[in-house]
Amino acid sequence: MVCARAALGPRALLALAWGVLLFTAPAGAQRGRKKVVHVLEGESGSVVVQTAPGQVVSHRGGTIVLPCRYHYEAAAHGHDGVRLKWTKVVDPLAFTDVFVALGPQHRAFGSYRGRAELQGDGPGDASLVLRNVTLQDYGRYECEVTNELEDDAGMVKLDLEGVVFPYHPRGGRYKLTFVEAQRACAEQDGILASAEQLHAAWRDGLDWCNAGWLRDGSVQYPVNQPREPCGGLGGAGSAGTSGGANGGVRNYGYRHNADERYDAFCFTSNLPGRVFFLKPLRPVPFAGAARACAARGAAVAKVGQLFAAWKLQLLDRCTAGWLADGSARYPIVNPRARCGGRRPGVRSLGFPDATRRLFGVYCYRTPGAPDPAPGGWGWGWAGGGGWAGGARDPAAWTPLRV
């Protein structure tokens, strides 16, 4: 549930709290590992909320504790009748409910059901344990504590380990509205990156001379090697954050998200499964890529999955392969001659003609999925007959042992 935060007084907030339908949380739920953090203390009212400064960091599929504790300035107060509420900030004045607790009654909301619970580490602990972290969990959370007519709140920022990657579809550059950019990232196993994530990627060396949407509706692009077509050579008058002779993140500001069209900067995190390169007996057209991966208990990898495998699993392969969007790419961790330049990265050959350009394929296998051909299989035609220039129908292919 997403709602705008109205200027309610303490009595109104308390009345709303008692009107919320609550359910008992599952017993015996697994707790995350405890983390030692310093705290920031609010100063309003007799109840004081303490949260972690900076941010806490996790990854997709991980378990994290969002730290929050509270105490009273007057020792006479008890902890009975305290309402604890966690919300996620989705816009400057809009919040989505995550978790609420009043005494023994607890309730998680939406996608947080079954994943969120209180840590419960003694009186005054309002910390939230979040399991099976998703890409969508990234962002800022508010911990609010209400008792009688007093309340206080603190903020916790949840960051994710991962990688930012630029993206445009087969139709070409600057073709995506804001909503289309959101959808394009989701289709490639990602979300729109935040401005903070893009800035961190720029500091890590990302250099991309095409503007793209970010999750806050702004349009920016990172330049590490200043040049005239990419916002100038730096110095006086150069655009963007951290501009100058060393480049920076060029910023077009907030754009009209329904009419203007740009590329997208997507973000993805840790992979639960594995990306691998499959080289069949003969190179495959794009139409045969899915069958080639299916023969190994996998699916054609998405762009975000290849970037995550390159960045987080150190996948290094100097051979281009098909991906699920019809592009051909390959990941380089250790740059070397004839492998696309002197910097690490995921090289792109664009969107080749699916009927003529023939490559291997990058596949993604989910955790626990069996490999039907552990000894190695390729694709071809039983009975021989040769390649015949690729003229044979891929629909008639059968798996053959390599």
Short mmCIF file of all heavy atoms in Angstrom, two decimals, residues 208-243:
data_model
loop_
_atom_site.label_atom_id
_atom_site.label_comp_id
_atom_site.label_asym_id
_atom_site.label_seq_id
_atom_site.Cartn_x
_atom_site.Cartn_y
_atom_site.Cartn_z
N TRP A 208 30.36 6.23 -20.52
CA TRP A 208 29.31 5.94 -21.51
C TRP A 208 28.75 7.25 -22.03
O TRP A 208 28.20 8.06 -21.27
CB TRP A 208 28.21 5.10 -20.87
CG TRP A 208 27.31 4.48 -21.88
CD1 TRP A 208 26.04 4.84 -22.19
CD2 TRP A 208 27.60 3.35 -22.71
NE1 TRP A 208 25.52 4.03 -23.15
CE2 TRP A 208 26.46 3.09 -23.50
CE3 TRP A 208 28.72 2.53 -22.85
CZ2 TRP A 208 26.41 2.05 -24.42
CZ3 TRP A 208 28.67 1.50 -23.77
CH2 TRP A 208 27.53 1.26 -24.54
N CYS A 209 28.86 7.45 -23.33
CA CYS A 209 28.52 8.75 -23.92
C CYS A 209 27.11 8.77 -24.48
O CYS A 209 26.87 9.29 -25.57
CB CYS A 209 29.54 9.11 -25.00
SG CYS A 209 29.45 10.83 -25.55
N ASN A 210 26.17 8.15 -23.81
CA ASN A 210 24.76 8.21 -24.19
C ASN A 210 23.93 8.40 -22.93
O ASN A 210 24.11 7.67 -21.95
CB ASN A 210 24.33 6.94 -24.91
CG ASN A 210 24.99 6.80 -26.27
OD1 ASN A 210 26.05 6.19 -26.38
ND2 ASN A 210 24.40 7.38 -27.29
N ALA A 211 23.03 9.36 -22.96
CA ALA A 211 22.24 9.68 -21.79
C ALA A 211 21.17 8.62 -21.55
O ALA A 211 20.58 8.09 -22.50
CB ALA A 211 21.59 11.06 -21.95
N GLY A 212 20.91 8.35 -20.27
CA GLY A 212 19.91 7.34 -19.94
C GLY A 212 19.09 7.72 -18.72
O GLY A 212 19.51 8.49 -17.86
N TRP A 213 17.88 7.15 -18.66
CA TRP A 213 16.99 7.36 -17.52
C TRP A 213 17.56 6.74 -16.26
O TRP A 213 18.19 5.68 -16.29
CB TRP A 213 15.63 6.72 -17.79
CG TRP A 213 14.79 7.36 -18.86
CD1 TRP A 213 14.57 6.90 -20.12
CD2 TRP A 213 14.05 8.59 -18.74
NE1 TRP A 213 13.75 7.75 -20.80
CE2 TRP A 213 13.40 8.80 -19.99
CE3 TRP A 213 13.87 9.52 -17.73
CZ2 TRP A 213 12.59 9.90 -20.22
CZ3 TRP A 213 13.07 10.62 -17.96
CH2 TRP A 213 12.43 10.80 -19.20
N LEU A 214 17.28 7.41 -15.12
CA LEU A 214 17.54 6.85 -13.80
C LEU A 214 16.21 6.74 -13.05
O LEU A 214 15.19 7.29 -13.46
CB LEU A 214 18.52 7.73 -13.02
CG LEU A 214 19.91 7.86 -13.64
CD1 LEU A 214 20.77 8.79 -12.80
CD2 LEU A 214 20.58 6.49 -13.78
N ARG A 215 16.22 6.05 -11.92
CA ARG A 215 14.98 5.72 -11.23
C ARG A 215 14.24 6.93 -10.68
O ARG A 215 13.02 6.88 -10.45
CB ARG A 215 15.23 4.71 -10.11
CG ARG A 215 16.09 5.22 -8.97
CD ARG A 215 16.34 4.12 -7.97
NE ARG A 215 15.12 3.66 -7.35
CZ ARG A 215 14.97 2.47 -6.78
NH1 ARG A 215 15.98 1.61 -6.81
NH2 ARG A 215 13.84 2.13 -6.21
N ASP A 216 14.93 8.07 -10.48
CA ASP A 216 14.26 9.27 -9.98
C ASP A 216 13.69 10.12 -11.10
O ASP A 216 13.17 11.21 -10.84
CB ASP A 216 15.22 10.10 -9.11
CG ASP A 216 16.43 10.61 -9.90
OD1 ASP A 216 16.55 10.28 -11.10
OD2 ASP A 216 17.24 11.33 -9.30
N GLY A 217 13.77 9.66 -12.35
CA GLY A 217 13.22 10.42 -13.47
C GLY A 217 14.20 11.39 -14.09
O GLY A 217 13.84 12.11 -15.03
N SER A 218 15.43 11.42 -13.59
CA SER A 218 16.45 12.27 -14.20
C SER A 218 17.13 11.51 -15.33
O SER A 218 17.02 10.29 -15.45
CB SER A 218 17.47 12.73 -13.16
OG SER A 218 18.23 11.62 -12.68
N VAL A 219 17.86 12.27 -16.16
CA VAL A 219 18.60 11.70 -17.28
C VAL A 219 20.06 12.12 -17.13
O VAL A 219 20.36 13.32 -17.07
CB VAL A 219 18.03 12.16 -18.63
CG1 VAL A 219 18.92 11.69 -19.79
CG2 VAL A 219 16.60 11.64 -18.81
N GLN A 220 20.97 11.15 -17.08
CA GLN A 220 22.38 11.45 -16.84
C GLN A 220 23.25 10.47 -17.64
O GLN A 220 22.74 9.49 -18.20
CB GLN A 220 22.70 11.35 -15.34
CG GLN A 220 21.81 12.21 -14.46
CD GLN A 220 22.18 12.16 -12.98
OE1 GLN A 220 23.35 12.04 -12.63
NE2 GLN A 220 21.19 12.25 -12.11
N TYR A 221 24.56 10.74 -17.67
CA TYR A 221 25.49 9.78 -18.24
C TYR A 221 26.89 10.04 -17.69
O TYR A 221 27.26 11.18 -17.43
CB TYR A 221 25.48 9.81 -19.77
CG TYR A 221 25.94 11.09 -20.42
CD1 TYR A 221 27.24 11.22 -20.93
CD2 TYR A 221 25.07 12.16 -20.57
CE1 TYR A 221 27.66 12.39 -21.55
CE2 TYR A 221 25.48 13.34 -21.20
CZ TYR A 221 26.77 13.45 -21.69
OH TYR A 221 27.18 14.60 -22.29
N PRO A 222 27.69 8.97 -17.51
CA PRO A 222 29.01 9.10 -16.88
C PRO A 222 30.13 9.20 -17.92
O PRO A 222 30.17 8.44 -18.89
CB PRO A 222 29.14 7.79 -16.09
CG PRO A 222 28.38 6.80 -16.93
CD PRO A 222 27.29 7.57 -17.65
N VAL A 223 31.05 10.13 -17.71
CA VAL A 223 32.17 10.32 -18.62
C VAL A 223 33.46 10.30 -17.80
O VAL A 223 33.68 11.17 -16.96
CB VAL A 223 32.05 11.64 -19.39
CG1 VAL A 223 33.30 11.87 -20.24
CG2 VAL A 223 30.80 11.63 -20.27
N ASN A 224 34.29 9.31 -18.06
CA ASN A 224 35.60 9.25 -17.41
C ASN A 224 36.71 9.77 -18.30
O ASN A 224 37.77 10.14 -17.81
CB ASN A 224 35.91 7.80 -17.00
CG ASN A 224 35.55 7.52 -15.55
OD1 ASN A 224 36.23 7.98 -14.63
ND2 ASN A 224 34.45 6.82 -15.34
N GLN A 225 36.49 9.78 -19.61
CA GLN A 225 37.45 10.28 -20.56
C GLN A 225 36.82 11.44 -21.32
O GLN A 225 36.12 11.23 -22.32
CB GLN A 225 37.88 9.17 -21.52
CG GLN A 225 38.50 7.97 -20.82
CD GLN A 225 38.77 6.81 -21.77
OE1 GLN A 225 38.58 6.90 -22.97
NE2 GLN A 225 39.21 5.69 -21.20
N PRO A 226 36.99 12.68 -20.82
CA PRO A 226 36.31 13.83 -21.43
C PRO A 226 36.66 13.97 -22.92
O PRO A 226 37.80 13.77 -23.33
CB PRO A 226 36.86 15.01 -20.62
CG PRO A 226 37.33 14.43 -19.34
CD PRO A 226 37.83 13.06 -19.68
N ARG A 227 35.64 14.27 -23.72
CA ARG A 227 35.81 14.48 -25.15
C ARG A 227 34.67 15.36 -25.64
O ARG A 227 33.61 15.42 -25.00
CB ARG A 227 35.86 13.15 -25.90
CG ARG A 227 34.73 12.18 -25.54
CD ARG A 227 35.21 10.74 -25.69
NE ARG A 227 34.18 9.73 -25.48
CZ ARG A 227 33.92 9.18 -24.30
NH1 ARG A 227 34.57 9.57 -23.21
NH2 ARG A 227 33.00 8.24 -24.19
N GLU A 228 34.87 16.03 -26.75
CA GLU A 228 33.92 17.02 -27.22
C GLU A 228 32.50 16.49 -27.41
O GLU A 228 31.54 17.13 -27.00
CB GLU A 228 34.43 17.65 -28.53
CG GLU A 228 35.57 18.62 -28.33
CD GLU A 228 35.16 19.86 -27.54
OE1 GLU A 228 33.96 20.08 -27.36
OE2 GLU A 228 36.05 20.58 -27.08
N PRO A 229 32.31 15.30 -28.01
CA PRO A 229 30.92 14.84 -28.20
C PRO A 229 30.22 14.44 -26.91
O PRO A 229 29.03 14.14 -26.95
CB PRO A 229 31.09 13.62 -29.13
CG PRO A 229 32.45 13.71 -29.68
CD PRO A 229 33.27 14.38 -28.63
N CYS A 230 30.94 14.40 -25.79
CA CYS A 230 30.38 13.89 -24.54
C CYS A 230 30.38 14.96 -23.46
O CYS A 230 30.84 14.73 -22.34
CB CYS A 230 31.15 12.66 -24.07
SG CYS A 230 31.20 11.33 -25.27
N GLY A 231 29.91 16.14 -23.79
CA GLY A 231 29.80 17.20 -22.80
C GLY A 231 31.01 18.07 -22.70
O GLY A 231 31.14 18.83 -21.73
N GLY A 232 31.95 17.99 -23.67
CA GLY A 232 33.10 18.87 -23.63
C GLY A 232 34.30 18.23 -22.96
O GLY A 232 34.26 17.10 -22.48
N LEU A 233 35.37 19.02 -22.92
CA LEU A 233 36.63 18.53 -22.37
C LEU A 233 36.82 18.88 -20.91
O LEU A 233 37.89 18.74 -20.36
CB LEU A 233 37.80 19.10 -23.18
CG LEU A 233 37.83 18.65 -24.64
CD1 LEU A 233 38.96 19.35 -25.38
CD2 LEU A 233 38.00 17.14 -24.72
N GLY A 234 35.76 19.36 -20.26
CA GLY A 234 35.85 19.69 -18.84
C GLY A 234 36.28 21.12 -18.64
O GLY A 234 36.45 21.90 -19.56
N GLY A 235 36.46 21.46 -17.37
CA GLY A 235 36.86 22.83 -17.04
C GLY A 235 35.66 23.74 -16.96
O GLY A 235 34.53 23.32 -16.74
N ALA A 236 35.87 25.04 -17.15
CA ALA A 236 34.80 26.02 -17.00
C ALA A 236 33.67 25.73 -17.96
O ALA A 236 33.87 25.48 -19.15
CB ALA A 236 35.36 27.42 -17.25
N GLY A 237 32.46 25.75 -17.41
CA GLY A 237 31.27 25.58 -18.23
C GLY A 237 30.88 24.16 -18.51
O GLY A 237 29.90 23.92 -19.19
N SER A 238 31.64 23.17 -18.03
CA SER A 238 31.27 21.79 -18.29
C SER A 238 30.06 21.41 -17.47
O SER A 238 29.87 21.89 -16.36
CB SER A 238 32.44 20.85 -17.96
OG SER A 238 32.73 20.89 -16.58
N ALA A 239 29.22 20.55 -18.03
CA ALA A 239 27.98 20.17 -17.37
C ALA A 239 28.21 18.98 -16.47
O ALA A 239 29.14 18.21 -16.65
CB ALA A 239 26.92 19.84 -18.41
N GLY A 240 27.32 18.81 -15.50
CA GLY A 240 27.28 17.56 -14.76
C GLY A 240 27.91 17.63 -13.39
O GLY A 240 28.56 18.57 -13.00
N THR A 241 27.65 16.56 -12.63
CA THR A 241 28.21 16.41 -11.29
C THR A 241 29.66 15.98 -11.39
O THR A 241 30.02 15.16 -12.22
CB THR A 241 27.41 15.33 -10.53
OG1 THR A 241 26.04 15.71 -10.54
CG2 THR A 241 27.88 15.24 -9.10
N SER A 242 30.49 16.53 -10.53
CA SER A 242 31.91 16.18 -10.48
C SER A 242 32.59 16.38 -11.82
O SER A 242 33.44 15.62 -12.22
CB SER A 242 32.08 14.71 -10.03
OG SER A 242 31.48 14.50 -8.79
N GLY A 243 32.16 17.43 -12.56
CA GLY A 243 32.75 17.70 -13.86
C GLY A 243 34.16 18.23 -13.72
O GLY A 243 34.69 18.44 -12.64
#
